[in-house]
């Protein structure tokens, strides 16, 4: 097999290339260091680690497949992670950022090209000259003496890493949205069932009142009062029927594809059936590992690197073109070793002298952007702290609220049953029974809302503490 470019050419071209690689300079970017946390070190309402048996990093390390216990919800989340169009857009942004980084990184290395050319020319004497050349070399490679290309590459790398963390944050958010939409559907199904049950009971009460009206025991006022509960329930049925349909539409949009209705909830599950224990760390340093905070930090690092590139623009730029090869009037000599060697080296240097302050403006812009992203990073930490604090504050009171409303429902139900029995026995007035029925209905509605809030809070607390990443294979 004939080598197109013999070893002689290769060795000749390698010499300037290797020399160039040793000329790389250092970065002029300012040294990056994390600022102090702009939030307290601990949350006021944080549960103790002894009560939940979980470490400070547990929320981040527990994948959602472990935290979510309901198989129906887990299957819907899996579908959404594969089919949600908004998440797909974010993931494609990651791929675009990765490609941009690879393009920029390529500028750190010389681009080596090989060529084979030939020419024929008639000179003044009438003779025809023929020349063939086989070359290999690099063209206009900028030697990164002051780290400009390295800084630009670092900036694109950090932007790519930021997009990766943004994609993780989008995934976590989607998991939370699916869980909350699923719970909303479950709660509205509960409310619909309650309204239908209340309508049936109100119809029975209305029938009793109409019969007592016929016997002259009750008045038309009693009948009209009984109708208020009945028609309130009918109105609620219409409202929650609409809500259930809209909840289902929202869930379909989030999932991104059709799914089996067996995955839908009929009613709110108990907390232990839906999710595991809520992991809660004690130190706010936990927030530094949240994907959205990491994304903000990577953006800050990218802005830091841009300052290095802007500083390097004040210094000379050195470029190098170098080629080596063989030449002969007979093309076969190029491949058999009979050709003569040729080479060319053309270094160039460019020093900025006057550009109407463009470099100064570019540096000021980079420094301003760095301060902007520093503020954004600190704000991301503060926002994360606020989210966790809000979730912990709700966690501290929601269980007591649910227990109180469960007791209220029990008391209201007993009161209604006794009042209705006394009314039927002619001991109590209808208005007492009617008021007890309204109280019971409202108490049951409030209990459904509180139970939904309890489950939403568990999922929210898990999410804002950094949990939710997919299990690694």
């Amino acid at each position: 097999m004939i080598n197109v470019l013999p070893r002689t050419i290769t060795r000749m071209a390698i010499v300037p290339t290797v020399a160039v690689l040793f000329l790389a300079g250092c970065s002029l970017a300012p040294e990056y260091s994390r600022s102090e946390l702009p939030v307290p070190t601990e949350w006021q309402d944080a549960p103790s680690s002894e009560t939940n048996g979980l470490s400070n990093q547990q929320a981040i390390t527990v994948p959602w497949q472990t935290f979510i216990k309901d198989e129906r919800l887990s299957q819907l989340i899996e579908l959404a992670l594969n089919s949600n169009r908004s998440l797909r857009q974010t993931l494609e942004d990651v791929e675009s950022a990765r490609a941009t980084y690879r393009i920029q990184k390529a500028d750190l290395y010389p681009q080596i090209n090989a060529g084979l050319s030939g020419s024929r020319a008639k000179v003044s004497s009438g003779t025809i000259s023929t020349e063939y050349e086989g070359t290999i070399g690099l063209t206009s490679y900028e030697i990164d003496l002051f780290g400009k290309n390295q800084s630009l590459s670092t900036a694109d790398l950090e932007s790519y890493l930021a997009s990766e963390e943004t994609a993780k944050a989008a995934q976590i958010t989607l998991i939370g949205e699916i869980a909350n939409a699923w719970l909303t559907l479950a709660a509205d199904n509960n409310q619909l069932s309650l309204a239908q049950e209340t309508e049936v009971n109100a119809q029975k009460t209305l029938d009793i009142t109409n019969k007592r009206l016929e016997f002259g025991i009750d008045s038309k006022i009693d009948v009209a009062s009984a109708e208020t509960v009945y028609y309130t329930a009918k109105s609620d049925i219409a409202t929650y029927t609409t809500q259930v349909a809209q909840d289902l539409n929202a869930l379909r949009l989030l999932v991104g594809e059709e799914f089996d209705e067996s995955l839908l909830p009929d009613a709110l599950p108990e907390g232990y059936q839906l999710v595991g224990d809520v992991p809660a760390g004690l130190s706010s340093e936990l927030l530094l590992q949240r994907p959205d905070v990491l994304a903000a930090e990577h953006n800050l690092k990218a802005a830091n690197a841009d300052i290095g590139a802007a500083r390097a623009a004040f210094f000379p730029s050195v470029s190098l073109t170098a080629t080596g090869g063989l030449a002969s009037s007979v093309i076969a000599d190029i491949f058999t070793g009979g050709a003569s060697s040729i080479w060319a080296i053309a270094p160039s240097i460019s020093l900025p002298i006057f550009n109407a302050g463009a470099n100064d403006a570019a540096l000021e812009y980079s420094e301003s952007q760095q301060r902007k992203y520093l503020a954004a990073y600190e704000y991301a930490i503060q926002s994360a702290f606020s989210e966790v604090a809000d979730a912990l504050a709700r966690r501290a009171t929601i269980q007591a609220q649910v227990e109180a409303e469960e007791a209220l429902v029990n008391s209201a139900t007993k009161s209604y049953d006794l009042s209705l029995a006394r009314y039927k026995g002619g001991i109590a007035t209808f208005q007492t029974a009617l008021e007890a029925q309204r109280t019971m209905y409202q108490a049951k509605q409030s209990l459904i809302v509180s139970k939904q809030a309890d489950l939403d809070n568990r999922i929210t607390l898990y999410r804002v503490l950094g949990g939710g990443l997919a299990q690694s294979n």
Side-chain angles (χ1 to χ4, degrees):
M1 179 177 179
I2 299 176
N3 291 324
V4 176
L5 295 175
R7 294 180 180 177
T8 304
I9 301 178
T10 305
R11 284 196 296 269
M12 294 175 63
I14 286 176
V15 172
T17 302
V18 172
V20 164
L21 293 178
F22 280 101
L23 292 177
C26 59
S27 173
L28 297 179
E31 184 178 352
Y32 174 78
S33 61
R34 277 182 174 172
S35 58
E36 293 184 6
L37 286 180
V39 293
T41 57
E42 295 183 358
W43 288 286
Q44 182 177 355
D45 298 307
S48 65
S49 57
E50 292 80 6
T51 58
N52 56 32
L54 296 169
S55 69
N56 196 40
Q57 295 292 320
Q58 198 74 17
I60 293 175
T61 58
V62 174
W64 69 263
Q65 295 95 330
T66 302
F67 182 67
I68 301 293
K69 292 186 174 182
D70 193 292
E71 185 61 29
R72 298 168 298 175
L73 179 54
S74 292
Q75 290 185 41
L76 281 179
I77 292 174
E78 285 283 3
L79 291 175
L81 292 176
N82 292 324
S83 302
N84 181 271
R85 300 308 192 271
S86 178
L87 183 60
R88 283 186 184 179
Q89 294 178 51
T90 304
L91 294 177
E92 290 306 319
D93 286 340
V94 176
E95 294 302 316
S96 298
R98 180 187 288 118
T100 301
Y101 164 61
R102 291 174 60 193
I103 292 171
Q104 183 61 53
K105 186 179 180 182
D107 287 342
L108 297 176
Y109 304 96
Q111 307 298 309
I112 300 176
N113 301 301
L116 181 64
S117 63
S119 64
R120 299 190 72 185
K122 184 177 181 180
V123 298
S124 58
S125 61
T127 60
I128 297 176
S129 65
T130 303
E131 185 75 17
Y132 297 97
E133 292 184 0
T135 60
I136 185 171
L138 52 92
T139 304
S140 299
Y141 170 64
E142 183 178 352
I143 303 172
D144 201 22
L145 289 176
F146 302 100
K148 182 182 74 172
N149 289 338
Q150 181 63 57
S151 293
L152 292 174
S153 178
T154 299
D156 281 343
L157 173 61
E158 294 297 340
S159 295
Y160 158 59
L161 295 176
S163 69
E164 271 199 330
E165 295 300 334
T166 300
K168 292 177 184 178
Q171 174 184 300
I172 293 173
T173 299
L174 178 60
I175 292 170
E177 288 177 344
I178 291 288
N180 289 333
W182 194 82
L183 287 174
T184 299
L185 175 60
D188 286 340
N189 274 329
N190 270 39
Q191 296 283 16
L192 178 58
S193 297
L194 175 61
Q196 291 169 337
E197 176 188 330
T198 301
E199 180 197 27
V200 172
N201 291 334
Q203 180 67 66
K204 292 178 180 178
T205 304
L206 184 58
D207 292 341
I208 294 172
T209 307
N210 278 320
K211 288 183 179 180
R212 290 169 63 91
L213 177 63
E214 293 176 4
F215 292 107
I217 302 174
D218 285 346
S219 66
K220 290 183 179 181
I221 294 178
D222 294 326
V223 173
S225 297
E227 288 176 340
T228 59
V229 176
Y230 174 75
Y231 288 115
T232 297
K234 285 188 72 70
S235 174
D236 288 345
I237 289 173
T239 297
Y240 288 114
T241 299
T242 301
Q243 281 295 115
V244 166
Q246 292 176 342
D247 295 341
L248 189 54
N249 291 336
L251 199 54
R252 286 196 180 102
L253 177 61
L254 287 172
V255 173
E257 65 175 273
E258 287 299 317
F259 48 81
D260 196 293
E261 291 194 0
S262 63
L263 302 180
L264 301 175
D266 296 324
L268 283 171
E270 295 297 328
Y272 67 88
Q273 295 174 336
L274 179 68
V275 295
D277 291 333
V278 178
L282 298 179
S283 172
S284 59
E285 289 185 2
L286 172 70
L287 300 177
L288 296 178
Q289 301 305 314
R290 270 185 37 159
D292 57 334
V293 174
L294 286 175
E297 184 176 23
H298 284 304
N299 285 330
L300 174 58
K301 290 179 178 179
N304 214 54
D306 284 335
I307 293 178
R311 288 175 175 175
F314 287 90
F315 295 87
S317 62
V318 179
S319 297
L320 178 66
T321 297
T323 58
L326 298 171
S328 174
S329 60
V330 180
I331 192 170
D333 291 346
I334 300 292
F335 307 104
T336 59
S340 58
S341 62
I342 59 173
W343 59 269
I345 297 179
S348 65
I349 185 170
S350 175
L351 176 65
I353 296 178
F354 176 75
N355 55 19
N359 286 345
D360 291 320
L363 179 58
E364 290 176 8
Y365 175 80
S366 298
E367 291 173 340
S368 175
Q369 288 293 293
Q370 191 267 351
R371 293 191 294 271
K372 165 190 167 183
Y373 283 110
L374 174 60
Y377 172 58
E378 292 179 343
Y379 183 74
I381 295 175
Q382 291 173 337
S383 297
F385 185 89
S386 178
E387 288 179 351
V388 175
D390 286 346
L392 287 173
R394 191 66 179 122
R395 184 83 247 139
T397 59
I398 186 62
Q399 195 56 45
Q401 182 176 337
V402 170
E403 291 174 357
E405 291 188 355
E406 285 176 339
L408 176 60
V409 167
N410 290 334
S411 298
T413 301
K414 290 179 183 178
S415 176
Y416 170 68
D417 291 339
L418 292 173
S419 297
L420 185 61
R422 288 167 59 84
Y423 165 64
K424 290 178 180 179
I427 302 174
T429 64
F430 175 72
Q431 295 302 320
T432 301
L434 183 63
E435 187 61 32
Q437 187 177 28
R438 287 173 178 162
T439 301
M440 180 184 68
Y441 183 39
Q442 292 171 354
K444 288 182 177 181
Q445 287 180 315
S446 296
L447 179 58
I448 293 171
V449 173
S450 296
K451 284 186 173 182
Q452 179 188 357
D454 175 38
L455 294 173
D456 281 339
N457 175 258
R458 295 177 189 223
I459 292 170
T460 298
L461 183 56
Y462 171 68
R463 175 181 60 79
V464 298
L465 285 169
L469 293 182
Q471 203 161 15
S472 58
N473 296 324

